[in-house]
Amino acid sequence: KMKGFTLIELLVVIAIIGMLSTIVMGNLNSARAKARDAAAIRDFNQVQKAMILYYDKYNRYPNETPVATNPWTDNFNSMAQQLVTEGFLARVPVAPPGRSYNYYNYGGTIGGLMVTTLEAAAASVTGYPGSCRPWASGQNWCDLSSSNMYCLCTPY
């Protein structure tokens, strides 16, 4: 009598391994999306702390004059570069692929608003109950109805 596996047994094992690897890869992709979201939130928190230090020194937030090329993204890069130049930030944060970091300094008594999109964030970290933007609710990037926008407001 010969020992070994039958063809059917081998096919069943291969099918089970295939299904398990599909499940694992799906979970791995969502873990990567969550890691990119966490990196974006971390970047915004570091920039906000640097902005507060800049405000303590100059009594204003950086980049009060908008950059004209791509206003929100270029404003973020310009503002972050000012923070790096002043020594408040180690490097200019780079947004994950397919997304951008946006910033606008509304000046006066309103403040600076940073905005990006998140991939896999829970509803508890998205939206913002009272955006820096001076318009009515529903016209803001960052009202509570936002599903994947992450906004960080640094008011004056």
Side-chain angles (χ1 to χ4, degrees):
K1 187 172 182 178
M2 298 177 66
K3 295 182 180 183
F5 296 106
T6 65
L7 182 60
I8 293 175
E9 290 172 332
L10 288 174
L11 290 175
V12 167
V13 169
I14 291 171
I16 291 171
I17 291 172
M19 287 188 296
L20 289 175
S21 65
T22 302
I23 292 169
V24 168
M25 291 304 287
N27 289 336
L28 184 59
N29 286 337
S30 69
R32 288 180 181 159
K34 288 178 184 178
R36 286 188 294 270
D37 287 351
I41 292 169
R42 181 199 65 230
D43 286 345
F44 271 28
N45 287 330
Q46 288 176 346
V47 170
Q48 185 181 44
K49 289 173 186 170
M51 286 174 62
I52 292 168
L53 293 171
Y54 187 96
Y55 182 82
D56 285 344
K57 184 174 181 179
Y58 295 105
N59 203 30
R60 65 179 176 84
Y61 291 125
N63 205 38
E64 286 188 334
T65 305
V67 179
T69 312
N70 182 358
W72 299 280
T73 304
D74 289 346
N75 280 345
F76 181 87
N77 293 332
S78 174
M79 174 269 300
Q81 185 57 54
Q82 289 177 35
L83 295 174
V84 169
T85 301
E86 290 295 323
F88 298 123
L89 196 61
R91 63 172 179 78
V92 174
V94 177
R99 290 188 279 163
S100 63
Y101 288 164
N102 302 299
Y103 169 76
Y104 197 81
N105 184 347
Y106 289 99
T109 59
I110 298 171
L113 176 66
M114 293 184 286
V115 180
T116 192
T117 54
L118 300 178
E119 294 177 64
S124 62
V125 298
T126 59
Y128 183 79
S131 177
C132 283
R133 294 183 75 185
W135 297 285
S137 181
Q139 295 177 335
N140 291 323
W141 282 319
C142 306
D143 60 18
L144 289 176
S145 66
S146 299
S147 60
N148 65 342
M149 302 300 283
Y150 180 72
C151 305
L152 195 54
C153 178
T154 309
Y156 277 100

